[in-house]
Amino acid sequence: MKFFTTFMVLCLLLSPALGQESIDDIAKQIRESQLKDETSDWVHFGTFDYTVKGVDNKTTSYLRVEENTTVRMYLLAKTDCYMYFDVRNQKESYVFGTNDPLSLETDLKGFKAATSMYTTEKEFMMNINYGLRWGCEKMINTEMRLIVFYVNKNADD
């Protein structure tokens, strides 16, 4: 038993050295990369953490944006399940998300990453729904990070 405990502690300590990065390491890499984008002056609004528990396969967050603001979101998870995010207005009409033809999904060091972007014409409250679609056997305990950036086009005026 002592050998097993020592082995587990050693594995936990060496896992970063072996290249097994955590979801927070990958989220940090995405954040740093987006902030280095010289085409726009991106601001990191925040990172929302969520773990699927029981029957709750999704969550909702809110963000009020000013007019003429471009918002870019990344959803990150280590999963075989179909992950998604969609942004709706206060009338629950779809605005943008992973269902858009311009949204992208890729594999990033063993994690799925999906992104989409939208420019608002007027101020509104974003209802951001994100999670995993039902029907996936391994969805329980899936960790997700929703990383949100914005650029306000009026800031230069």
Side-chain angles (χ1 to χ4, degrees):
M1 184 67 181
K2 186 176 182 181
F3 172 77
F4 179 75
T5 305
T6 305
F7 178 74
M8 290 304 295
V9 170
L10 186 61
C11 285
L12 289 173
L13 292 174
L14 290 178
S15 65
L18 297 173
Q20 295 178 355
E21 298 179 83
S22 73
I23 192 169
D24 292 318
D25 294 334
I26 302 300
K28 181 179 177 183
Q29 289 176 19
I30 290 171
R31 185 180 72 240
E32 290 172 352
S33 177
Q34 186 67 42
L35 293 175
K36 288 179 185 176
D37 179 2
E38 295 178 2
T39 61
S40 295
D41 191 18
W42 291 102
V43 176
H44 177 240
F45 174 78
T47 301
F48 299 92
D49 299 350
Y50 180 67
T51 301
V52 175
K53 298 286 185 188
V55 296
D56 294 329
N57 65 318
K58 68 175 181 155
T59 190
T60 301
S61 296
Y62 302 94
L63 173 62
R64 178 170 299 286
V65 292
E66 296 177 3
E67 66 181 38
N68 205 19
T69 299
T70 299
V71 178
R72 181 165 200 170
M73 296 183 189
Y74 293 86
L75 183 60
L76 180 65
K78 189 164 201 161
T79 183
D80 293 329
C81 303
Y82 178 80
M83 59 183 204
Y84 72 94
F85 69 86
D86 64 54
V87 176
R88 297 180 180 271
N89 61 23
Q90 289 181 307
K91 295 179 183 176
E92 287 299 310
S93 298
Y94 179 83
V95 178
F96 79 104
T98 52
N99 287 331
D100 292 348
L102 296 177
S103 71
L104 302 171
E105 186 175 307
T106 190
D107 183 66
L108 186 61
K109 297 183 180 184
F111 290 84
K112 278 187 184 179
T115 185
S116 191
M117 189 166 43
Y118 179 76
T119 300
T120 66
E121 294 178 10
K122 55 185 175 181
E123 178 181 308
F124 80 102
M125 175 68 80
M126 291 184 167
N127 298 332
I128 309 164
N129 304 301
Y130 60 101
L132 302 174
R133 297 275 187 235
W134 277 106
C136 183
E137 295 178 16
K138 299 178 184 177
M139 68 183 214
I140 304 298
N141 295 323
T142 298
E143 287 184 89
M144 291 182 277
R145 302 292 183 269
L146 182 71
I147 311 160
V148 181
F149 301 91
Y150 70 92
V151 174
N152 186 296
K153 303 295 183 182
N154 295 332
D156 295 332
D157 296 343

